[in-house]
Amino acid sequence: MLTEFGLALKYVRARGNTLYYLADDGTEVGVFDAASGFGSLMFGHNNPEIVEHAKWLLDQQTPVHAQFSGYSFALNLAAELNTVIRRELQTEDKFFALFGNSGAEAVEISIKHAEMDRGARIAELKAEIDTHVEQARTAVANGARVSADAAAVVGGTDFDHLAAEVARRNAQTEARPPLFLALEGGFHGKLVSSVQLTHNNEFRAPFKALAAQARFIPRDRPELIAKVVEDERSTLLDVTVQDGVVDLVERDFPIFAAFLIEPIMGEAGIFPLSAQLAGALREACDTFGVPLIADEIQSGMGRSGTFLAGTQIGLKPDYIILAKALGGGVAKLGVVLVNEHRYRKDIELIHTSTYGRDGFSSRLALKVLQMLEADDGKAYQLAAERGAKAKAMMEAIKADYPDVVKEVRGVGLMLGFELHDQSDSSSPEIREAVEHEALAFVIGGHLLRKHQIRIFSTASNLETMRFEPSIHLSDEEIARVDAGFRDICQILRDQDASRFE
Ligand code: F0G
């Protein structure tokens, strides 16, 4: 498909916001890259400072591997990440760091941690129930009796029968697989478990049988969370003794392991969550005792203008997941930060990975953090300022082409430029492209060939072009995108597919 639309160029060099391929005559052609490693390149391709540092790390004979040791570099990274996120979350709480090699892997680490936490909470609840059953057994030996209500539930007044029935029914409930909560349109990766939290049915459905499922909530309907929780509610039976009477009570069984969200939903089509939703999510998670996990893999590391995009909406997550840009576009790593109040330290032995915590990635990520934080956070300011300028350019196009451009969304350098649906186009070629879900590729191919711009739509919203260049976005590059987008808008206004190159 990439070949068909002329997108399968073989890039030979990359620097800043530019990827280079060789033309037929052997000369290099530079392409402005708005895809930016799916948002991994906050500082651009092969940023000289990062490249220099990477070379230096290797020259220094940095111990890339030193498993089962003090891991000084990974710990330094965890400490520096704490400084930054505690400032942004305005908390004194500590965050423990777990390391992996990619975004999806970090999501899976968070899934495993959340399930361990859920298991521990179930064990605590069961221990309480066991204690209550033994207390009731003693009370019965001393003359207490089983209430009529309890007898009706378990089918008899005999206490041993009641205890056996409580154990049997509770074992049935405990056998239910865990569930997760996530938002409709959300994207959290494509590994075995993470893909089940990714809403797109095409990615998720073939692998449904392999992992725990999520219940998806529309991002504009937080009031539905309570309904979904109620739908899935199940309880364990507990035993009470009062005034010589043994009774049964229901205790909520923690069926939901976690609620995963993206503060700016990327793949869904660049939808920033509102402060109101952030508050509603926190409240729901507190009410139902479920940890709130912010997937900042794409939105984090300064792309929004703050280190965490959630900071701007007052989001208070229990875990934070980072990857992509944390490795400076060179190293592959993912980090999960878990609030100390939620942290289950056994995970550190139960989940390991050979390259997780490796010295090279950790030191490179430390460098990235330093670069972000340098000069009073100049990088964050640049993301905000360059992003605002690019957004203003897109808004101006929308004002000139309201018939073609539906909406401009996003924060900082995570922007979405959404076109109106063209399925009713008067041009048969355009209609056919929409039918084959190929219009975004036609547009992408045209922008590439005619304007030397590399840009894609988001996977779950094919009308939205996603713009995520580095903070070194220049005025010239903004002008190039302005011209390219206007050209597309004029072609679509004229419904003249013959002008697509
Ligand atoms: N979470 C979010 C929010 C993501 O955007 C991605 C990847 C992942 C998790 C998975 O990370 O690819 O390193 O395993 N998003 C890519 C994209 C695929 O198109 O933005 P990964």
Side-chain angles (χ1 to χ4, degrees):
M1 198 162 74
L2 294 174
T3 307
E4 184 185 333
F5 293 105
L7 296 168
L9 293 180
K10 296 191 174 70
Y11 294 104
V12 293
R13 196 165 74 81
R15 180 72 185 259
N17 283 322
T18 308
L19 274 165
Y20 297 88
Y21 68 92
L22 297 181
D24 290 342
D25 65 2
T27 54
E28 268 191 351
V29 182
V31 169
F32 168 68
D33 184 16
S36 196
F38 291 147
S40 300
L41 300 169
M42 271 290 288
F43 297 100
H45 289 277
N46 292 315
N47 174 280
E49 213 178 324
I50 291 174
V51 169
E52 207 43 53
H53 194 70
K55 285 190 204 163
W56 181 81
L57 290 177
L58 296 177
D59 285 342
Q60 291 295 302
Q61 303 183 0
T62 293
V64 179
H65 292 285
Q67 293 86 348
F68 280 119
S69 71
Y71 287 116
S72 56
F73 302 126
L75 295 187
N76 288 348
L77 174 59
E80 287 306 314
L81 283 169
N82 263 270
T83 305
V84 176
I85 65 171
R86 288 163 80 189
R87 178 188 74 220
E88 292 213 348
L89 296 176
Q90 295 180 315
T91 179
E92 296 294 312
D93 291 354
K94 291 191 195 80
F95 285 77
F96 286 83
L98 300 164
F99 294 81
N101 306 284
S102 70
E105 189 186 328
V107 169
E108 302 241 343
I109 294 171
S110 80
I111 289 172
K112 285 181 71 178
H113 184 277
E115 176 57 2
M116 264 191 68
D117 177 46
R118 192 184 76 99
R121 285 184 282 133
I122 293 170
E124 285 160 19
L125 187 55
K126 269 173 61 183
E128 256 181 58
I129 293 172
D130 286 348
T131 306
H132 294 161
V133 170
E134 288 320 305
Q135 285 166 351
R137 194 185 301 282
T138 307
V140 167
N142 292 327
R145 60 179 177 79
V146 172
S147 79
D149 285 350
V153 172
V154 298
T157 54
D158 177 56
F159 181 78
D160 284 340
H161 172 70
L162 176 138
E165 197 53 21
V166 164
R168 190 186 66 79
R169 291 190 191 198
N170 284 353
Q172 258 177 6
T173 304
E174 284 161 36
R176 275 191 72 186
L179 287 169
F180 287 82
L181 289 159
L183 294 179
E184 283 183 6
F187 187 96
H188 299 289
K190 289 181 173 173
L191 291 184
V192 171
S193 283
S194 48
V195 79
Q196 292 307 322
L197 310 182
T198 288
H199 185 234
N200 191 316
N201 199 50
E202 200 181 332
F203 303 151
R204 176 167 50 94
F207 310 105
K208 245 183 143 131
L210 293 178
Q213 300 295 294
R215 293 287 313 261
F216 295 97
I217 315 277
R219 67 175 173 278
D220 52 351
R221 304 282 308 277
E223 71 279 7
L224 289 183
I225 300 170
K227 187 188 168 306
V228 167
V229 170
E230 186 53 38
D231 281 353
E232 298 291 350
R233 182 170 182 247
S234 56
T235 54
L236 293 179
L237 286 175
D238 196 359
V239 177
T240 61
V241 187
Q242 218 177 355
D243 302 330
V245 179
V246 175
D247 244 318
L248 292 173
V249 288
E250 290 189 336
R251 304 283 301 273
D252 275 328
F253 177 69
I255 192 78
F256 287 101
F259 199 152
L260 273 93
I261 58 153
E262 297 157 82
I264 303 173
M265 300 181 72
E267 276 295 303
I270 318 291
F271 289 96
L273 302 188
S274 66
Q276 193 192 2
L277 182 65
L281 289 168
R282 183 67 268 172
E283 202 180 307
C285 286
D286 288 344
T287 305
F288 302 116
V290 176
L292 179 60
I293 304 183
D295 177 345
E296 294 259 13
I297 288 169
Q298 193 174 159
S299 58
M301 279 65 66
R303 183 158 287 285
S304 69
T306 42
F307 183 75
L308 301 172
T311 301
Q312 296 176 43
I313 51 170
L315 186 71
K316 303 284 183 214
D318 298 300
Y319 312 2
I320 296 160
I321 314 177
L322 307 172
K324 291 204 195 221
L326 189 59
V330 174
K332 300 173 191 171
L333 82 161
V335 179
V336 183
L337 295 151
V338 184
N339 185 296
E340 57 183 326
H341 300 301
R342 283 280 184 181
Y343 190 57
R344 304 278 179 180
K345 66 179 187 309
D346 291 352
I347 189 81
E348 287 184 41
L349 196 58
I350 292 178
H351 182 91
T352 59
S353 165
T354 302
Y355 272 86
R357 300 183 171 203
D358 80 85
F360 179 75
S361 307
S362 301
R363 290 188 90 176
L364 207 60
L366 268 165
K367 175 71 180 173
V368 168
L369 265 185
Q370 274 167 12
M371 287 169 69
L372 286 168
E373 293 278 311
D375 302 327
D376 289 330
K378 184 154 172 264
Y380 305 125
Q381 292 154 28
L382 267 176
E385 184 270 318
R386 293 282 83 194
K389 184 141 192 188
K391 195 174 183 185
M393 169 272 285
M394 294 181 202
E395 294 281 10
I397 302 177
K398 178 176 179 288
D400 291 344
Y401 291 91
D403 49 322
V404 179
V405 184
K406 184 172 171 192
E407 197 172 33
V408 176
R409 289 185 295 270
V411 184
L413 287 165
M414 194 164 169
L415 300 175
F417 184 74
E418 184 172 9
L419 303 173
H420 283 295
D421 174 29
Q422 295 287 330
S423 46
D424 289 335
S425 169
S426 60
S427 147
E429 291 92 344
I430 294 177
R431 270 204 316 276
E432 197 192 341
V434 175
E435 229 166 77
H436 291 95
E437 299 193 337
L439 186 59
F441 290 107
V442 172
I443 291 173
H446 178 81
L447 288 171
L448 187 57
R449 280 182 290 282
K450 179 134 189 240
H451 300 274
Q452 287 76 51
I453 296 168
R454 187 176 126 89
I455 192 162
F456 303 116
S457 71
T458 55
S460 302
N461 182 330
L462 299 175
E463 282 82 40
T464 300
M465 308 306 283
R466 125 194 205 189
F467 185 82
E468 300 189 24
S470 84
I471 54 171
H472 301 302
L473 176 68
S474 69
D475 287 347
E476 185 279 328
E477 288 163 339
I478 292 176
R480 193 192 301 189
V481 174
D482 190 9
F485 278 8
R486 282 177 184 277
D487 183 23
I488 292 293
C489 288
Q490 193 60 48
I491 292 174
L492 290 176
R493 173 174 282 173
D494 299 342
Q495 298 282 294
D496 181 5
S498 72
R499 300 207 314 261
F500 279 132
E501 282 186 15

